Amino acid sequence: MASNNFIDYVKINCRSGAGGAGSHHFFRAKGLPNGGPDGGDGGRGGHIILEGNSQLWTLLHLQYQKHLIAKPGQGGGENLRTGAQGDDIIIQVPLGTIARDAETGEKKLEITEHGQRLILTPGGRGGLGNDHFKSATNQAPTYAQPGEPGIDEWVILELKLLADVGLVGFPNAGKSTLLSVVSAAKPKIADYAFTTLTPNLGVVAYRDYKSFVMADIPGIIEGAAEGKGLGTRFLRHIERNSILLFTIACDSPDIAAEYNVLLSELEQFNPELLDKNRLLAITKSDMLDEELENEIRSTLPTDLPSVFISSLANKNIQQLKDLIWHALHA
């Protein structure tokens, strides 16, 4: 996903179709000048529907499509004929898309499965024809219901990537390099901070043709919750990850302190993130000899499964995959 094409937040105006009016027609025929009411019902207005599509990864196709207007329903006709329904508008969205009311922020729905269809903005109901209002005391009703109006609302569509493993770490911790080694993803890699400006996904091949999805999230720095660096804009993407893999470079002055800073930023963003399973990968460990590695190992949190890896030297990469796979299926 190129950085300039990754769109995970759009605001759109949705206008569903109004329902058609019911008919107040009376049956007339030769020899039957006073036939009863036979007005049909109006058709439903068009819905605006979201449909999950696993082939989409961003909301780019909606960035410049700000107004979605569904067709109204047709009015009812004679001989109890129901009016045609307004055409629905079906919007394809990537899995993990959440729709919120733009004014209140209230969650309306979310799409998590391929082919899943949910009504975002319902069309107005069609009005009832006068045939529905006949009775023993009112055998010739001259009125019918108008159709319900459509809904005009602003909606925010927000994407949260669905992945099994989310990479969490400071800039230049080796997250993108790791993703590029274990998957076919081609994230941007350079020797300066904030190289990754948008999340990247990669499918990691495992033993016996099994696989899992890994997400590389842009680097976090201390104070991200207050808007420093890239802030918390992309942290929503790890809310959907089953496991959080913390990546810290072996040349960090204090690995335990860096880990605690990352935990603190996650907690400030969403305390529920701390309930997820966590793993720790010490990256760039090809620079370490056995003595240094043992020294660093003694300072690591004891309640956190950890592994020393090197993406460049392919050190313990398979061991890391095993650790992730066992954690996913624990």
Side-chain angles (χ1 to χ4, degrees):
M1 293 179 291
S3 60
N4 60 337
N5 287 336
F6 183 79
I7 303 297
D8 60 355
Y9 182 98
V10 294
K11 184 177 179 181
I12 57 176
N13 176 238
C14 297
R15 277 181 270 177
S16 62
S23 170
H24 49 79
H25 186 269
F26 290 90
F27 182 74
R28 294 290 182 266
K30 185 177 181 180
L32 190 61
N34 296 318
D38 68 344
D41 302 338
R44 169 185 62 78
H47 296 320
I48 296 178
I49 298 172
L50 295 187
E51 180 178 15
N53 187 334
S54 60
Q55 301 302 311
L56 294 176
W57 297 102
T58 84
L59 298 171
L60 176 66
H61 59 297
L62 297 175
Q63 185 179 18
Y64 304 109
Q65 193 175 355
K66 293 298 184 184
H67 298 275
L68 302 171
I69 305 173
K71 298 290 186 182
Q74 300 299 310
E78 58 188 53
N79 294 328
L80 302 179
R81 287 183 295 188
T82 300
Q85 294 184 356
D87 293 335
D88 297 331
I89 292 180
I90 299 176
I91 310 171
Q92 303 277 327
V93 294
L95 307 188
T97 298
I98 293 178
R100 300 184 185 277
D101 185 286
E103 293 185 3
T104 65
E106 180 183 359
K107 178 179 170 182
K108 295 168 67 69
L109 57 88
E110 66 179 299
I111 299 294
T112 59
E113 299 176 4
H114 179 74
Q116 179 184 13
R117 284 190 178 188
L118 295 175
I119 297 174
L120 176 62
T121 307
R125 291 185 300 177
L128 298 178
N130 63 347
D131 177 70
H132 287 273
F133 302 104
K134 65 185 179 183
S135 66
T137 57
N138 185 13
Q139 298 182 10
T142 58
Y143 55 87
Q145 285 183 337
E148 285 186 351
I151 298 174
D152 187 345
E153 61 181 355
W154 283 91
V155 175
I156 290 172
L157 298 182
E158 181 181 271
L159 174 61
K160 294 183 181 181
L161 295 178
L162 294 174
D164 298 306
V165 186
L167 299 179
V168 180
F170 277 60
N172 277 11
K175 302 185 299 298
S176 298
T177 304
L178 173 61
L179 183 67
S180 69
V181 168
V182 299
S183 75
K186 302 297 180 185
K188 183 178 180 181
I189 300 172
D191 59 352
Y192 55 84
F194 300 113
T195 309
T196 302
L197 297 177
T198 61
N200 292 283
L201 284 180
V203 178
V204 180
Y206 189 61
R207 306 176 192 270
D208 301 325
Y209 303 102
K210 299 172 184 174
S211 64
F212 54 86
V213 179
M214 182 178 286
D216 172 22
I217 308 300
I220 304 170
I221 64 172
E222 187 171 6
E226 286 80 44
K228 293 184 180 179
L230 295 177
T232 58
R233 175 184 169 191
F234 296 111
L235 285 184
R236 78 170 80 98
H237 294 293
I238 65 175
E239 291 180 323
R240 295 291 186 80
N241 302 161
S242 301
I243 293 175
L244 301 183
L245 176 60
F246 288 79
T247 57
I248 301 178
C250 67
D251 56 357
S252 169
D254 190 335
I255 291 177
E258 190 167 314
Y259 171 70
N260 289 328
V261 168
L262 292 170
L263 275 185
S264 175
E265 295 300 326
L266 295 185
E267 184 177 19
Q268 291 182 64
F269 176 73
N270 183 352
E272 293 181 2
L273 290 176
L274 301 190
D275 296 332
K276 293 182 177 293
N277 290 335
R278 302 192 293 271
L279 305 174
L280 176 61
I282 307 302
T283 62
K284 308 178 183 179
S285 62
D286 54 307
M287 299 188 295
L288 303 176
D289 57 24
E290 186 175 350
E291 182 179 352
L292 278 174
E293 188 172 309
N294 290 332
E295 183 179 334
I296 293 175
R297 193 185 302 276
S298 65
T299 67
L300 300 180
T302 57
D303 59 341
L304 185 67
S306 60
V307 60
F308 286 78
I309 66 169
S310 170
S311 300
L312 292 179
N314 204 33
K315 175 182 176 181
N316 292 336
I317 295 299
Q318 186 59 50
Q319 183 180 340
L320 174 63
K321 291 183 182 181
D322 291 338
L323 194 65
I324 292 171
W325 186 263
H326 293 150
L328 285 172
H329 297 83

